[in-house]
Structure formats: structure tokens, C-alpha cells
């Protein structure tokens, strides 16, 4: 990949994604196989004024080996030093920058019970850090870079070198990072959300009725005083940032008790090294009552059954099929990209920012207001080219604002 393009991509993550400010601590999470790009991000962060940039390296293959070979009891504990490390960084107002380049199949065949237990244990131990990031008390951002395994999975007919080059092309285009000035392009992209957000927040719909030709027919009640978000965020000091790059979604908070009907996924879900295919769920009073999958149903069960909130909705997100990623008509095996190609729902924890004053509520108050609490937040895609969405207000009046995969305003 052209070094100039890589440098611009790193600067985009630092300056637009995390919006690093002078004197801040920055934590960069990056795969050891992608160390060259990780060092570019580190340098870009220092050039933006960071006081310290910590590199948090990971290795997918080492993780897989631990799941297969580690003593069984280690999956029920989480090191206190890791909790303390997060707290020290959080207390300093760290900016977290994540470079994702995982192998979609790295955990395929790993014992599902070990995965479930390790996930639950780590999420419970880091709940406070999750609260700070999901509540935008801290800034964070995620981008993707190719791994060889990921590239070959997407383009098996190409040589290793050609596959990586092709995936780089797709990632930069999908993340709107292939132009002469990606930072300026993202400033323009942010402004494009305003009209749709103003419309939806002005309507204050009570519920959404969503249908697709695949068989989705669900009515999702929205939390009272819900807020539609999209196109970036601001931290508690008003500093803007982009948590996900790419981002094409406009999203809000469902009422955890008011989803009724059937949802059929439109794309497979890559979760913890397992590709969950051909799956659907039926909701009653906000809770998954039945579910099935053609492949890796147990992985789906691990999500739904992890805790009380795992089988309820925490997000409903709408995406235009005309987004750069949507136009590619490609499965990325990576939620960061796939969720921005298709309208989606999330099982698990809701974002406090999606309800007025949500950041000031206790967990009990948040749940009473309709918000969902859980150890997980897992997006899955259900948008199609024929999806239609009708907004229903408190008087029962209906407004179709999304038809055949596109906004109609």
C-alpha cells in the first residue's frame, strides 16, 4: 500500500476519529502483524500533541492458542492489573484508538463454553470502562486494516498479495479515506447527517414498523424521549469525534419491553470467530422468545443468553443502501464494515446518549426509562433492498420515511 495513503489514513484516525488534543494520553490497540501501521498512528498522535502514546499490541493466533490450550479455570477470572490499567488510563482521560485487522475465522472451532465464560468474565470486570466509552465520557475510534487471512477469505481467487491490495482498496473506499484530503471529506460527511437527524428527532415517533421481503415484520417501540444520533459524537467537554470509521448509520434506542414480531437477518454475523448464518429471531414484549440459525446456532445462543439484556434490543440503526459500502454489495465478515452497509439492530446494551439525560441516570433509572443493560452489544444486519420503515406517532398516525432501502425525505 502506498505510504502516503497509509499516513493519511493514520492521520484520519488520530485527527478525525479520536480528535487527539494537546497533552492527552493516547492508547493504540493494534495487531502485531500490523505494527508498521500502528507505529504510523503512534507518530501521528504525537504530532497532534499527545503527551504519551501507549501501544497495546494483540495477536490473534496467541489468543486462539490460549483458548485451546489454557487451563479451564482461567476463563472464569480476569486479571486485576488489567482493570487497574484501564482505570488509570480512564482517570487521565485517555483517547482510545483501535486498529482492527482480525482473522474472521481465528476462533472457529474453539470451545463455545470457554468463549462464553471468558466474554462474560471480562465484560463484568470492565463494566465501568464500557460505561465511560458508551456514554462518551471518553473519546475512542475504530478503523480497520487488512490481515492476510481476512483478505484471502474475502478474495480467495486472488494471490495473497493481490487479495491484501484489493482489501486495502475496499477499506479505504468504504471509510471515505481514499481522497486527497480524508479529514476534509469526513467534515463534509458529518454535515450530510443533519437533515435526517432533524427530521427524525422532530417527529418523536412512538414506534417503528419494519418489513422486508425476507420475512422481517416487526414493530419496535422507541424509548420515551429517545434521541436519534449519527455522523459522529461529542465527549463531555464538547470535543467532537467519530467512534466508528466508517459510519453511515442513524440510530436510536428501542424500548427494551416493546419489540413485537419476527426479524430475519440479511447477512451472516461474524462473532468470536464463528460465522452465524441464516438466522432469525422472534420477539415478544421486547424479549427474544425463539431463534434459529442454519449454522452456528450455539454462537447465537451465547449472545442471547449471556444475561437478561442479551436477548433484548439496545439499538435500531438505519443505513441507506446507497452508502459507499452498500454499493459494494460485499460481505466483509467484519461488523465495523457490514453494519454500515445495511440497516441493523443490536442485541444488548443501549447507548445512554440515545435518551435525553441518559448519561445522568443510574442503571436502575436507565432501565426504568426503557433502556437495555447488558454485558454485550452485538450488531446484526437485517436491511434489504426492499426494506420499508413506517414511523408511528403517539396518536397512531403513520409516516413512511424509508422505502425500498432508501430514505424518502
Amino acid at each position: 500500500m502506498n505510504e502516503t495513503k497509509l499516513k493519511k489514513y493514520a492521520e484520519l484516525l488520530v485527527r478525525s476519529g479520536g480528535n487527539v488534543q494537546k497533552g492527552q494520553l493516547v492508547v493504540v490497540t493494534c495487531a502485531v502483524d500490523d505494527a508498521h501501521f500502528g507505529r504510523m498512528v503512534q507518530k501521528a498522535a504525537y504530532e497532534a500533541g499527545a503527551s504519551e502514546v501507549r501501544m497495546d499490541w494483540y495477536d490473534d493466533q496467541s489468543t486462539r492458542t490460549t483458548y485451546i490450550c489454557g487451563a479451564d479455570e482461567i476463563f472464569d477470572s480476569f486479571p486485576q492489573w488489567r482493570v487497574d490499567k484501564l482505570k488509570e488510563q480512564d482517570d487521565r482521560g485517555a483517547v482510545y484508538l483501535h486498529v482492527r485487522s482480525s482473522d474472521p475465522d481465528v476462533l472457529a472451532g474453539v470451545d463455545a463454553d470457554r468463549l462464553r465464560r471468558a466474554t462474560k468474565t471480562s465484560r463484568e470486570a470492565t463494566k465501568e470502562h464500557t460505561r465511560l466509552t458508551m456514554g462518551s465520557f471518553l473519546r475512542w475510534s475504530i478503523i480497520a486494516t487488512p490481515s492476510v487471512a481476512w483478505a484471502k477469505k474475502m478474495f480467495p481467487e486472488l494471490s495473497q498479495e493481490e487479495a491484501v491490495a484489493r482489501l486495502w482498496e475496499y477499506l479505504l473506499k468504504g471509510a471515505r479515506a481514499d481522497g486527497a484530503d480524508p479529514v476534509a471529506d469526513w467534515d463534509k460527511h458529518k454535515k450530510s447527517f443533519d437533515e435526517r437527524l432533524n427530521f427524525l428527532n422532530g417527529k418523536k415517533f412512538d414506534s417503528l414498523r419494519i418489513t422486508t421481503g425476507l420475512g422481517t415484520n416487526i414493530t419496535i417501540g422507541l424509548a420515551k424521549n429517545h434521541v436519534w444520533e449519527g455522523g459522529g459524537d461529542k465527549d463531555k467537554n464538547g470535543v467532537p469525534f467519530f467512534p466508528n470509521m466508517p459510519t453511515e448509520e442513524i440510530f436510536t434506542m428501542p424500548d427494551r419491553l416493546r419489540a413485537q414480531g419476527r426479524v430475519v437477518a440479511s447477512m451472516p454475523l461474524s462473532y468470536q470467530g464463528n460465522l452465524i448464518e441464516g438466522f432469525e429471531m422472534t420477539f415478544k414484549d421486547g424479549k427474544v422468545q425463539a431463534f434459529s440459525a442454519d449454522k452456528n446456532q450455539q454462537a447465537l445462543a451465547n449472545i442471547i443468553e449471556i444475561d437478561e439484556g442479551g436477548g433484548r434490543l439496545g439499538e435500531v440503526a438505519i443505513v441507506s443502501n446507497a452508502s459507499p459500502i452498500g454499493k459494494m454489495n460485499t460481505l466483509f465478515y467484519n461488523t465495523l464494515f457490514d453494519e454500515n452497509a445495511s440497516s441493523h439492530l443490536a442485541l444488548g446494551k443501549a447507548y445512554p446518549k440515545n435518551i435525553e439525560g441518559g448519561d445522568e441516570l443510574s442503571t436502575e433509572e436507565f432501565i426504568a426509562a426503557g433502556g437495555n443493560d447488558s454485558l454485550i452489544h452485538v450488531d446484526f444486519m437485517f436491511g434489504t433492498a426492499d426494506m420499508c420503515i413506517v414511523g408511528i406517532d403517539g396518536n397512531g398516525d403513520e409516516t413512511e420515511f424509508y422505502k425500498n432501502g432508501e430514505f424518502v425525505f
Side-chain angles (χ1 to χ4, degrees), residues 87-394:
K87 185 178 187 307
E88 185 265 338
Q89 292 171 170
D90 294 348
D91 287 347
R92 289 180 57 183
V95 178
Y96 291 89
L97 304 178
H98 303 275
V99 181
R100 299 278 177 84
S101 58
S102 297
D103 173 359
D105 297 325
V106 70
L107 297 180
V110 167
D111 183 274
D113 185 60
R114 287 190 166 195
L115 284 171
R116 179 191 60 79
R117 288 157 51 207
T119 298
K120 187 172 184 177
T121 300
S122 64
R123 298 293 171 84
E124 287 177 340
T126 59
K127 283 182 71 172
E128 177 60 14
H129 175 72
T130 300
R131 182 186 73 83
L132 293 173
T133 53
M134 291 191 72
S136 299
F137 291 90
L138 300 169
R139 299 197 304 285
W140 53 280
S141 188
I142 305 172
I143 64 168
T145 56
S147 68
V148 172
W150 183 15
K152 284 296 289 180
K153 185 174 182 67
M154 285 190 62
F155 308 109
E157 74 284 1
L158 301 181
S159 69
Q160 178 176 303
E161 183 177 317
E162 290 171 332
V164 170
R166 178 71 60 82
L167 184 51
W168 262 121
E169 177 187 339
Y170 276 44
L171 296 185
L172 293 180
K173 182 177 181 180
R176 300 174 184 264
D178 57 345
D181 190 346
V183 172
D185 290 342
W186 270 80
D187 288 341
K188 295 176 184 176
H189 181 43
K190 178 176 175 54
K191 294 176 182 177
S192 70
F193 286 84
D194 292 345
E195 181 180 356
R196 290 169 180 170
L197 289 173
N198 289 337
F199 174 86
L200 289 170
N201 281 319
K203 285 292 185 179
K204 296 189 181 301
F205 291 124
D206 176 71
S207 61
L208 306 176
R209 185 172 67 248
I210 306 176
T211 57
T212 72
L214 287 178
T216 291
N217 189 341
I218 188 170
T219 298
I220 299 173
L222 301 181
K224 187 178 181 181
N225 298 323
H226 65 273
V227 177
W228 289 88
E229 295 276 355
D233 202 351
K234 291 182 179 179
D235 71 8
K236 297 310 168 185
N237 296 316
V239 180
F241 68 105
F242 290 98
N244 293 328
M245 305 184 88
T247 186
E248 303 289 341
E249 62 180 321
I250 292 176
F251 60 98
T252 196
M253 182 190 296
D255 185 315
R256 63 187 295 274
L257 301 177
R258 295 201 300 129
Q260 311 280 352
R262 180 185 182 217
V263 175
V264 180
S266 58
M267 301 173 70
L269 170 63
S270 181
Y271 181 73
Q272 294 186 332
N274 293 289
L275 196 64
I276 306 170
E277 299 184 56
F279 64 99
E280 63 176 74
M281 288 168 272
T282 301
F283 289 81
K284 182 179 180 182
D285 298 330
K287 182 78 171 177
V288 174
Q289 297 297 311
F291 62 92
S292 64
D294 293 339
K295 184 178 179 182
N296 285 319
Q297 181 166 309
Q298 184 57 51
L300 180 59
N302 286 347
I303 297 171
I304 294 170
E305 298 170 358
I306 192 168
D307 56 22
E308 163 60 22
R312 296 184 185 274
L313 295 177
E315 177 187 335
V316 54
I318 307 173
V319 178
S320 167
N321 284 5
S323 74
I325 305 169
K327 288 180 179 179
M328 293 181 193
N329 195 30
T330 300
L331 176 64
F332 280 82
Y333 304 97
N334 183 300
T335 300
L336 176 63
F337 274 75
D338 288 333
E339 72 172 2
N340 286 294
S342 169
S343 294
H344 54 275
L345 300 171
L347 292 167
K349 188 173 181 62
Y351 287 99
K353 64 185 177 182
N354 281 136
I355 187 172
E356 293 177 13
D359 294 335
E360 308 302 322
L361 300 178
S362 67
T363 299
E364 294 74 18
E365 291 170 333
F366 184 64
I367 291 173
N372 192 35
D373 188 48
S374 175
L375 296 173
I376 53 98
H377 177 98
V378 179
D379 297 291
F380 67 93
M381 284 52 73
F382 76 130
T384 62
D386 63 0
M387 172 178 273
C388 294
I389 306 177
V390 174
I392 306 168
D393 66 21

Side-chain angles (χ1 to χ4, degrees), residues 389-406:
I389 306 177
V390 174
I392 306 168
D393 66 21
N395 297 318
D397 295 330
E398 300 185 355
T399 303
E400 185 176 51
F401 64 88
Y402 188 90
K403 185 176 182 179
N404 293 329
E406 300 296 337

Side-chain angles (χ1 to χ4, degrees), residues 55-71:
M55 303 303 296
D56 196 353
W57 304 104
Y58 69 90
D59 175 39
D60 278 344
Q61 292 304 317
S62 295
T63 300
R64 177 181 177 84
T65 300
T66 295
Y67 272 113
I68 294 172
C69 302

